[in-house]
Amino acid sequence: MTLDIKKSILYSTIASLAYAISGIAVKYLTSNTPYTMIVFSRFLVGLLYLTPFAIRNNEFALIRNYPIQFVRGGAGLLAIMCFFCSLKYIPIVDAIALNNVAPLFIPIILFLFYKVSISRKLIFCIIIGFIGVLLIIKPDKGIFNWMSLIALLSSFFAAIASLSIKRLSKTNSTQSILFFYFLISTVFSAFLLPVEYPHQTIGDILLMIMVGILALIFQYSVTRAFKYSNAEVVSPLLYMSVLFGLLFDWIFHDKAPSFYSSIGTIFIVLSCMFILVIRKRENNNQ
């Protein structure tokens, strides 16, 4: 692997920016468009782009381990659905922050299902991270926001998808994993489309297509970022999406984050960054 920290930072920034812009677009669309339609269009655009490459490279014959493929696809789809649904009701920065706490769930899932021990350092970081989650979920006026839990649930499903990808990568190419993910997510999300379509303007349709394109830009940029640097460098950089979300909330909605949300976001970002570093060191020592 050829390391190039400048290119890694560049692609990480592009990925974070694409993710945050997508959040802005989805939040606008959910005001008059069912979120299931936005989810479907996101995956359909990606599938239409990936299919010619899949046919040319015969990715269908390269797909292995179908049960885990469906777990990865289902978990990934549910993660996106929960994230898009939450964006309609809570600030963008809160949704993005809660959507990025998958590192908190991964050690817990590994412990519950694979009996992988959790070190004291990891336990401490997980506790700090969930304190941050509670600070974000706690509203300014004392009314518990249940939609924040939907955003948090998106991270739980994202953690399952991440662990599935790790297993699939041993027997499948990145291209085949990505293609099958977009394929089954498009098919499954099609069953969730509303029976009666609401009126959509040309602007709404273009915006939904843009969400799909931004998803591809995010996937491509993350892949390139990991090509030019190590995970312990790239993963923290991707939390720039939280900062972009905060900036866009302020610019487009004139909405500054609350004190609790600000402290909670800091707790989440720091704890997840430390978890990634600790897990990397523990894996190297095994």
Side-chain angles (χ1 to χ4, degrees):
M1 178 176 63
T2 303
L3 297 180
D4 190 328
I5 188 65
K6 290 183 179 179
K7 287 185 178 179
S8 182
I9 292 174
L10 173 63
Y11 282 114
S12 296
T13 303
I14 293 173
S16 299
L17 190 58
Y19 192 78
I21 294 175
S22 176
I24 281 283
V26 171
K27 191 170 185 67
Y28 172 81
L29 283 167
T30 51
S31 62
N32 59 359
T33 304
Y35 74 92
T36 51
M37 285 186 64
I38 308 171
V39 171
F40 173 75
S41 63
R42 176 192 189 273
F43 286 110
L44 179 61
V45 170
L47 181 63
L48 292 175
Y49 174 80
L50 292 169
T51 297
F53 298 100
I55 295 174
R56 186 184 66 184
N57 300 325
N58 197 21
E59 297 292 349
F60 305 98
L62 301 176
I63 296 173
R64 301 287 186 274
N65 206 336
Y66 280 94
I68 303 300
Q69 292 277 10
F70 277 101
V71 170
R72 184 268 183 271
L77 173 60
L78 288 171
I80 294 297
M81 290 182 65
C82 290
F83 179 52
F84 282 12
C85 179
S86 68
L87 278 168
K88 181 177 182 178
Y89 301 98
I90 63 177
I92 295 170
V93 64
D94 289 1
I96 291 178
L98 292 172
N99 180 245
N100 276 277
V101 301
L104 300 181
F105 286 112
I106 288 176
I108 298 174
I109 294 172
L110 289 174
F111 173 75
L112 292 176
F113 293 96
Y114 298 99
K115 307 303 178 185
V116 177
S117 61
I118 306 177
S119 65
R120 291 181 179 179
K121 292 180 181 179
L122 276 179
I123 292 174
F124 176 76
C125 290
I126 291 171
I127 291 173
I128 294 299
F130 277 111
I131 289 174
V133 169
L134 290 174
L135 288 172
I136 290 179
I137 291 177
K138 181 180 179 181
D140 297 331
K141 297 182 179 180
I143 304 173
F144 194 81
N145 192 339
W146 290 99
M147 291 311 299
S148 295
L149 290 182
I150 300 297
L152 182 62
L153 193 60
S154 71
S155 270
F156 173 74
F157 289 124
I160 295 175
S162 178
L163 291 172
S164 301
I165 292 172
K166 187 174 182 180
R167 290 190 60 182
L168 288 171
S169 61
K170 297 177 181 179
T171 55
N172 293 262
S173 67
T174 301
Q175 292 77 13
S176 64
I177 295 173
L178 197 59
F179 171 73
F180 196 79
Y181 168 49
F182 275 85
L183 174 62
I184 65 173
S185 294
T186 302
V187 173
F188 288 164
S189 60
F191 288 103
L192 301 175
L193 290 172
V195 177
E196 295 183 3
Y197 286 81
H199 174 71
Q200 299 293 308
T201 65
I202 296 298
D204 290 338
I205 295 173
L206 292 176
L207 209 53
M208 284 192 284
I209 293 173
M210 187 185 79
V211 170
I213 294 172
L214 287 170
L216 289 170
I217 293 174
F218 173 79
Q219 294 283 355
Y220 174 81
S221 299
V222 168
T223 302
R224 300 293 290 182
F226 277 109
K227 176 182 178 180
Y228 290 114
S229 190
N230 300 315
E232 58 265 33
V233 174
V234 176
S235 297
L237 288 173
L238 293 177
Y239 281 97
M240 285 188 290
S241 61
V242 178
L243 299 178
F244 286 129
L246 188 154
L247 178 64
F248 292 154
D249 250 349
W250 178 58
I251 293 175
F252 293 102
H253 300 109
D254 194 23
K255 185 179 293 184
S258 67
F259 173 77
Y260 289 122
S261 291
S262 300
I263 299 299
T265 300
I266 292 172
F267 278 20
I268 286 173
V269 172
L270 290 178
S271 64
C272 288
M273 288 171 61
F274 279 118
I275 285 174
L276 292 168
V277 172
I278 292 170
R279 290 189 68 233
K280 177 67 176 180
R281 290 178 178 175
E282 290 179 349
N283 291 335
N284 289 338
N285 293 331
Q286 289 179 355

